[in-house]
Amino acid sequence: MRLGATEYERLLDVLRSLEPQDWLRMTDCTLWDVRAMVAHLLANMDQNASIREMAHQIGTAKKRARVSGSPMVDELTALQIAERASLSPDALLSRIEGTAPRAVMGRQKVPRVMRRLVRIDAGPFGRMTLGYLVDTVYTRDVWMHRLDICRATGRPMVLNAGHDGRLVAAMVGDWAERHGQSYELVLGGPAGGVFSRGVGGERHELDALEFCRIVSGRDNGGAIGLLQTEVLF
């Protein structure tokens, strides 16, 4: 949760720096401009802060998915953005400032037994525990979208080993677990490091941020060999 709280603050630092035109810039999530992406992030915080809001979002998305045949997560994000379409950039920023601390508290309060026993369909990634979603995926999602927003608006991505390096190392761990093969991975930049398993496996050397973009599905051109193994964000 300390990582989650720090990531919310770093996101806010980026959003506070944006000019009006920046909110209209398209992101690497090709259906979303910055404003839509921030609406999605706010919606996740809203449901972390309120069980009633979580039930509304997930229940509505499941019903729509049964009718449309689309993946539930696609219906969920579409709902999140549509319900916040009337919020101006200033309103989105203000809402996140007020909701982020409550979202951290809400995530902390999820009971241990629920974290272990409740499982959620993660599509091609199988079923994940509620604990993994609450403790890992929500923070990773904010981190990755912070990178998306920085890339779209030309803002610097603030990085350090103690925060971002820990998040990247966890992403590498998930990636390695999913492919299960020997490898050597050399990631550059403040959030990078050297990771390996076994001997004689593939060797990849690239920037840590680019690695995350590739395994999140944002840069398919760089997805060669084991880098084609995607990670849940």
Side-chain angles (χ1 to χ4, degrees):
M1 289 304 104
R2 285 194 296 271
L3 291 172
T6 298
E7 193 51 47
Y8 286 151
E9 284 301 319
R10 290 195 179 184
L11 172 68
L12 280 166
D13 287 342
V14 174
L15 298 184
R16 289 171 183 136
S17 77
L18 299 184
E19 301 294 337
Q21 64 271 20
D22 290 325
W23 292 82
L24 303 175
R25 301 189 190 282
M26 297 306 298
T27 71
D28 284 341
C29 296
T30 54
L31 296 178
W32 294 354
D33 60 13
V34 170
R35 201 213 67 83
M37 183 169 283
V38 175
H40 156 68
L41 291 169
L42 171 61
N44 278 348
M45 294 180 202
D46 285 339
Q47 63 170 296
N48 284 322
S50 166
I51 293 176
R52 177 177 295 182
E53 177 64 19
M54 179 180 291
H56 160 67
Q57 289 189 29
I58 294 177
T60 303
K62 284 183 175 179
K63 290 178 183 177
R64 293 186 177 183
R66 284 195 293 269
V67 173
S68 68
S70 300
M72 193 278 280
V73 68
D74 291 346
E75 293 290 354
L76 176 62
T77 54
L79 173 73
Q80 291 176 331
I81 294 169
E83 290 189 336
R84 290 155 184 81
S86 64
L87 296 177
S88 67
D90 286 344
L92 286 168
L93 177 57
S94 178
R95 283 276 301 276
I96 288 178
E97 288 174 333
T99 306
R102 294 191 294 112
V104 173
M105 291 178 61
R107 289 165 64 182
Q108 287 176 324
K109 290 179 179 179
V110 176
R112 288 185 179 181
V113 66
M114 289 182 64
R115 291 172 185 269
R116 294 196 308 270
L117 298 181
V118 175
R119 293 187 174 270
I120 299 167
D121 184 4
F125 299 98
R127 296 182 68 80
M128 62 179 167
T129 65
L130 179 61
Y132 181 71
L133 173 66
V134 168
D135 296 334
T136 300
V137 174
Y138 279 133
T139 298
R140 187 178 292 177
D141 183 65
V142 178
W143 185 90
M144 197 70 220
H145 287 322
R146 175 163 66 96
L147 175 56
D148 292 331
I149 294 168
C150 286
R151 283 176 52 83
T153 62
R155 297 307 190 274
M157 179 75 169
V158 174
L159 299 167
N160 62 49
H163 175 75
D164 308 270
R166 289 178 63 187
L167 294 177
V168 170
M171 297 173 207
V172 172
D174 283 1
W175 169 78
E177 183 176 351
R178 281 183 57 78
H179 66 65
Q181 300 183 45
S182 297
Y183 72 94
E184 182 181 3
L185 184 66
V186 181
L187 300 181
V194 179
F195 309 88
S196 64
R197 172 191 287 169
V199 294
E202 289 183 9
R203 185 180 191 277
H204 296 278
E205 184 170 352
L206 66 166
D207 183 80
L209 299 184
E210 189 58 25
F211 168 80
C212 294
R213 293 187 65 248
I214 292 170
V215 300
S216 70
R218 285 164 168 78
D219 182 6
N220 293 327
I224 57 174
L226 294 178
L227 296 180
Q228 296 176 75
T229 303
E230 294 191 358
V231 173
L232 180 61
F233 279 82

